[in-house]
């Protein structure tokens, strides 16, 4: 385990995160911003509340909460979130987390399938915190989740290595147009850490094939990826889902930027395509290219702002720098964007 810890520490020096002993680590999320976030979304049990989705909690939210608590350098809040996560969500026999927890019903777990992006976020945050704060139990838990991801949802299909969105329901023959993927579930910055935790060449192939798919997914007049994509023959919007660039996909450019991707053509195609006539990001109907819903919240706007910073050196507007949490999802994206720019591109602030 000491060897694993050393590898993660060395790896982190080349990634976005700053991995150092807790006494030396500087938070990339200011205490005031983290306090505002947790006052809005973190309850006493340690669950992150999705206030735009009926007050439920999910593995994605717990993973985001862990990552943000780590970036805020707040071990006590991290442990609070981890306690809820491990006791209420890590219930599956395969080592992955159930994805949905609803406070209004009993039992609270209403869907026992996993969501692979949530699992990646949880494992990634545990690995970062474990290496920075010298917490062997976090590293052990992160390793188990990474191994479970590799065994259950990182699969080869049609000559590609892909990430299934969940362990059940996304492959043929149960799903005729399977495999189905969600391109926003690929958290590229975390994949090298997964490869340290659960060594396999499959992780690098997953990154390479995932990037190739993003370059190929140019649906409709706006040339955008869909939230849900069938890879049964050639990539196309999956059956049974609206053929849209939606709330899932909106975070893809932010994930690419945070992972250090410098492909200006890809980044600019995505942000240009996802911006409506009013200058705000939006969700889009892919066949027609028509906007479905404008997304003016600073947490959505910051995705374009981060890409403009990375590709053109454009400063982040004051409206995106000011953090006043509203809804769980855009507020989370805003903190991830601000943390990244503050660490890697302070000239844009």
């Amino acid at each position: 385990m000491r060897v694993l810890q050393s590898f993660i520490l060395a790896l982190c020096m080349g990634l976005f995160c700053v991995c150092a002993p807790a006494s030396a680590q500087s938070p990339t999320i200011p205490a005031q911003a983290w306090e505002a976030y947790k006052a809005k979304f973190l309850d006493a049990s340690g669950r992150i509340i999705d206030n735009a989705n009926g007050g439920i909690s999910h593995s994605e939210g717990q993973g985001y909460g862990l990552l943000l608590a780590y970036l805020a350098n707040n071990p006590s809040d991290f442990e609070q979130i981890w306690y809820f996560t491990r006791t209420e969500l890590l219930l599956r026999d395969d080592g992955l987390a159930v994805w949905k927890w609803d406070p209004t019903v009993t039992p609270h777990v209403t869907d026992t399938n996993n969501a692979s992006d949530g699992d990646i976020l949880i494992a990634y945050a545990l690995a970062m915190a474990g290496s920075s704060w010298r917490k062997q139990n976090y590293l052990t838990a992160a390793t188990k989740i990474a191994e479970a991801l590799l065994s259950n949802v990182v699969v080869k299909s049609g000559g590609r290595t892909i990430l299934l969105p969940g362990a059940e329901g996304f492959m043929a023959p149960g799903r005729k147009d399977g495999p189905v993927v969600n391109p926003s579930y690929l958290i590229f910055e975390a994949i090298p850490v997964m490869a340290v935790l659960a060594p396999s060449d499959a992780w690098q192939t997953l990154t390479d094939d995932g990037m190739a798919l993003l370059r190929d997914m140019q649906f409709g007049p706006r040339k955008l990826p869909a939230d849900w994509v069938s890879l049964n023959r050639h990539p196309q919007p999956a059956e049974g889902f609206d053929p849209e660039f939606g709330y899932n996909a909106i975070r893809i450019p932010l994930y690419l930027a945070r992972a250090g991707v410098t492909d200006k053509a890809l980044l600019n195609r995505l942000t240009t395509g996802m911006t409506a006539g009013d200058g705000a990001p939006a969700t889009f109907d892919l066949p027609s290219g028509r906007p479905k819903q404008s997304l003016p919240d600073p947490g959505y706007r910051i995705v374009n702002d981060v890409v403009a910073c990375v590709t053109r050196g454009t400063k982040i507007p004051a409206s995106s720098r000011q953090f006043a949490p509203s809804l769980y999802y855009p507020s989370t994206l805003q903190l991830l964007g601000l943390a990244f720019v503050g660490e890697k591109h302070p000239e844009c602030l």
Side-chain angles (χ1 to χ4, degrees):
M1 184 59 71
R2 291 185 183 277
V3 174
L4 172 62
Q5 184 184 70
S6 298
F7 280 175
I8 292 176
L9 283 166
L11 178 65
C12 285
M13 298 306 295
L15 295 175
F16 158 67
C17 54
V18 178
C19 297
S23 59
Q25 181 187 341
S26 298
T28 54
I29 293 175
Q32 183 177 4
W34 172 243
E35 290 297 323
Y37 182 93
K38 74 177 190 179
K40 187 85 171 180
F41 308 116
L42 176 60
D43 82 356
S45 71
R47 74 182 186 95
I48 300 293
I49 300 169
D50 186 344
N51 63 338
N53 195 13
I56 69 166
S57 294
H58 33 65
S59 57
E60 170 210 279
Q62 296 304 115
Y64 278 144
L66 289 169
L67 183 56
L68 295 177
Y70 165 72
L71 294 174
N73 194 26
N74 195 313
S76 60
D77 289 338
F78 187 99
E79 177 58 33
Q80 181 185 9
I81 299 166
W82 172 229
Y83 178 82
F84 179 90
T85 305
R86 71 177 185 268
T87 58
E88 296 291 333
L89 299 185
L90 280 169
L91 307 176
R92 290 172 55 94
D93 293 337
D94 60 9
L96 302 173
V98 299
W99 83 269
K100 184 177 182 181
W101 193 98
D102 190 335
T104 66
V105 298
T106 303
H108 295 303
V109 173
T110 57
D111 190 335
T112 60
N113 204 4
N114 73 301
S116 298
D117 65 330
D119 295 304
I120 291 174
L121 285 164
I122 293 166
Y124 180 45
L126 286 167
M128 298 300 94
S131 60
S132 291
W133 301 334
R134 303 298 194 262
K135 297 281 286 186
Q136 299 287 355
N137 59 319
Y138 290 170
L139 290 170
T140 299
T143 299
K144 290 180 179 177
I145 297 171
E147 291 173 344
L149 284 161
L150 188 61
S151 297
N152 294 280
V153 295
V154 178
V155 303
K156 287 193 73 68
S157 178
R160 302 183 183 95
T161 297
I162 61 173
L163 178 74
L164 295 176
E168 294 95 39
F170 295 96
M171 287 287 286
R175 185 178 175 95
K176 289 191 300 182
D177 65 340
V180 167
V181 298
N182 185 317
S184 79
Y185 279 28
L186 284 170
I187 306 167
F188 289 102
E189 69 183 273
I191 294 176
V193 176
M194 299 302 103
V196 174
L197 295 168
S200 169
D201 293 340
W203 296 110
Q204 184 59 54
T205 309
L206 177 65
T207 294
D208 295 342
D209 290 348
M211 288 297 301
L213 278 171
L214 279 178
R215 294 185 177 104
D216 288 344
M217 292 176 186
Q218 302 187 35
F219 303 131
R222 289 189 168 267
K223 300 185 181 302
L224 289 170
D227 279 3
W228 300 95
V229 179
S230 166
L231 301 179
N232 183 252
R233 292 184 177 85
H234 55 84
Q236 60 183 357
E239 297 174 8
F241 297 95
D242 289 338
E244 67 176 5
F245 176 89
Y247 287 95
N248 282 265
I250 201 83
R251 57 192 167 176
I252 292 174
L254 178 61
Y255 280 173
L256 293 172
R258 282 180 53 92
V261 173
T262 57
D263 184 338
K264 291 184 179 181
L266 173 61
L267 291 168
N268 289 330
R269 171 171 62 81
L270 292 171
T271 54
T272 298
M274 67 187 244
T275 303
D278 61 359
T283 62
F284 288 92
D285 175 74
L286 290 173
S288 68
R290 290 194 297 268
K292 298 180 71 172
Q293 183 173 356
S294 180
L295 302 174
D297 189 290
Y300 296 121
R301 285 184 178 269
I302 203 170
V303 177
N304 281 349
D305 297 335
V306 167
V307 171
C309 166
V310 169
T311 59
R312 300 189 295 276
T314 305
K315 288 191 176 294
I316 303 295
S319 58
S320 293
R321 295 199 306 269
Q322 297 165 356
F323 181 68
S326 53
L327 299 175
Y328 144 78
Y329 185 47
S331 297
T332 298
L333 297 183
Q334 187 177 7
L335 285 189
L336 289 174
L338 290 173
F340 168 72
V341 174
E343 175 62 23
K344 288 296 187 181
H345 294 277
E347 72 277 6
C348 292
L349 293 175

